[in-house]
Amino acid sequence: MLSNISHLRTAATAALRRTMATEAAHRPPLDLYGLNARYANATYIAASKSNSLEKVEGELLAIKNSAESSKEFASFLENPLISREAKSKQVEGMLKGKTTPVTMNLMTTLAGNARLNSVAGITDNYVKLMKAKRGEVEATIISAEPLNKSQTAAVQEAMKSQFPKGAKVVLKTEVDPGMLGGLQIQIGDKFLDLSVGSRIEEVGRTAV
């Protein structure tokens, strides 16, 4: 009898450990907060369990892009006069056979909760989770004039110490004609202003 109880306890402990290990394997790589993040986190977990993380990312980006490029689609997402039930049916009709079950479930849930207008924010949060999973770090170089390849390479080399070891750097360049010269660099949430304008302002603040 005692032997059977011991075996049951051992089996229960092993099952619990397997469950915890499975949950850890699908846990989002970032701690994001807010309503949009809750939907993004739940979608990430569901996509991870169904081995469709990248597929769902592509689908959500496509939906977001459609909302940005189509006034009609954007109006549908935003329209509060369409009932939740009607929106759910329309969403299901639009996406049936075209997306993964994970994306379909997210969109119909948003329709049922009158949250379709949040799809862009949810997508942005989901993309953040995916970038973290891939170890990607975004870096943006903003200059008054376009940088040539050698200039971009030189700035990127100088920025290496700012990146975590082993990070995959996704480098973007932007032009801001309003700058007085120099550079502005954004790495993740960090912002470094090396523009001439910022230096003039600093001199102005410290001048006696």
Side-chain angles (χ1 to χ4, degrees):
M1 183 71 176
L2 291 176
S3 177
N4 290 338
I5 293 175
S6 177
H7 284 312
L8 286 172
R9 286 177 178 172
T10 301
T13 301
L16 179 60
R17 286 176 179 171
R18 287 195 298 270
T19 300
M20 292 176 65
T22 300
E23 290 178 353
H26 300 299
R27 185 177 299 138
L30 281 180
D31 292 326
L32 299 178
Y33 302 97
L35 186 58
N36 288 344
R38 284 172 56 189
Y39 283 108
N41 287 334
T43 302
Y44 180 96
I45 292 170
S48 179
K49 289 181 177 179
S50 62
N51 196 30
S52 58
L53 284 168
E54 289 78 13
K55 181 73 173 174
V56 170
E57 181 182 23
E59 292 170 350
L60 293 181
L61 285 171
I63 292 171
K64 180 186 175 183
N65 290 338
S66 295
E68 292 173 345
S69 61
S70 170
K71 290 183 178 180
E72 184 179 359
F73 185 53
S75 177
F76 166 74
L77 297 178
E78 298 279 348
N79 194 340
L81 300 179
I82 304 175
S83 71
R84 299 184 183 192
E85 183 180 356
K87 272 195 174 183
S88 296
K89 288 182 178 179
Q90 289 184 56
V91 166
E92 187 173 355
M94 284 188 289
L95 301 182
K96 190 173 183 178
K98 299 177 182 178
T99 67
T100 59
V102 174
T103 299
M104 172 69 86
N105 182 64
L106 170 64
M107 294 300 292
T108 53
T109 298
L110 291 176
N113 293 340
R115 294 285 181 183
L116 278 176
N117 59 348
S118 299
V119 69
I122 294 168
T123 298
D124 291 343
N125 276 273
Y126 187 90
V127 169
K128 285 182 182 179
L129 295 176
M130 290 300 295
K131 286 180 177 178
K133 180 181 184 298
R134 291 189 288 259
E136 294 179 0
V137 177
E138 280 192 352
T140 303
I141 302 172
I142 307 169
S143 57
E145 297 180 354
L147 301 179
N148 58 38
K149 289 184 178 179
S150 61
Q151 290 172 324
T152 301
V155 175
Q156 188 171 7
E157 180 66 26
M159 291 163 55
K160 275 187 176 180
S161 63
Q162 301 296 320
F163 300 130
K165 188 176 181 180
K168 300 175 185 176
V169 181
V170 180
L171 185 64
K172 297 188 297 182
T173 58
E174 296 180 5
V175 176
D176 180 3
M179 290 177 59
L180 298 179
L183 298 170
Q184 292 178 337
I185 300 172
Q186 184 164 355
I187 303 173
D189 295 329
K190 298 178 182 178
F191 187 78
L192 183 62
D193 192 348
L194 303 176
S195 65
V196 174
S198 71
R199 293 174 183 174
I200 292 175
E201 289 178 6
E202 184 177 349
V203 171
R205 288 194 298 268
T206 57
V208 178

